[in-house]
Amino acid sequence: MRGADVFVVQPCSFPVDSHLLELLLMIDAFKRASAWRITAVLPYYCYARQDRKDKPRVPISAKLVADLLETAGASRALTLDYTPRRFRAISTCPWIIFTARPCWWNISAR
């Protein structure tokens, strides 16, 4: 793994806690194996809709997950955009966000 460009693919669907922990452990293992760059590929980004406070004393879980990915060693993250792009600003880690909107527009136009 030394010097490799690594893509770690892990959907964070149910059970979210197990899948998220597996992702963080894999990223950490690649970082300790001296990977050059680690890209976390999240087809489903858990907690993406919890990107702002709508009530007092509510956590911003999307930011916490982004911070966990960055702390574990991810150089960047890649996800599919199901929600507005607000959570792009919550992390210093670069995000590559693919959108499914053109596909939905083509389907709905039929």
Side-chain angles (χ1 to χ4, degrees):
M1 288 291 119
R2 186 175 305 273
D5 191 5
V6 178
F7 288 80
V8 182
V9 180
Q10 177 74 7
C12 290
S13 56
F14 183 79
V16 175
D17 54 348
S18 298
H19 290 150
L20 183 60
L21 185 59
E22 286 175 6
L23 174 65
L24 296 172
L25 290 172
M26 286 187 285
I27 291 171
D28 184 63
F30 287 124
K31 181 175 120 180
R32 293 176 190 276
S34 301
W36 172 62
R37 182 172 56 188
I38 303 167
T39 303
V41 180
L42 299 147
Y44 174 72
Y45 181 61
C46 55
Y47 304 111
R49 298 198 59 187
Q50 296 175 354
D51 59 347
R52 60 184 159 70
K53 291 183 116 179
D54 56 351
K55 298 178 204 168
R57 296 185 179 90
V58 175
I60 303 175
S61 304
K63 179 167 178 38
L64 177 62
V65 172
D67 290 344
L68 286 170
L69 289 171
E70 192 173 351
T71 301
S75 307
R76 59 188 178 166
L78 187 144
T79 189
L80 184 62
D81 180 22
Y82 295 106
T83 61
R85 297 175 185 230
R86 292 184 299 239
F87 68 88
R88 185 180 288 197
I90 64 174
S91 175
T92 57
C93 178
W95 285 83
I96 302 166
I97 301 173
F98 291 107
T99 183
R101 288 186 184 127
C103 297
W104 290 112
W105 289 331
N106 291 338
I107 292 170
S108 65
R110 292 183 188 167

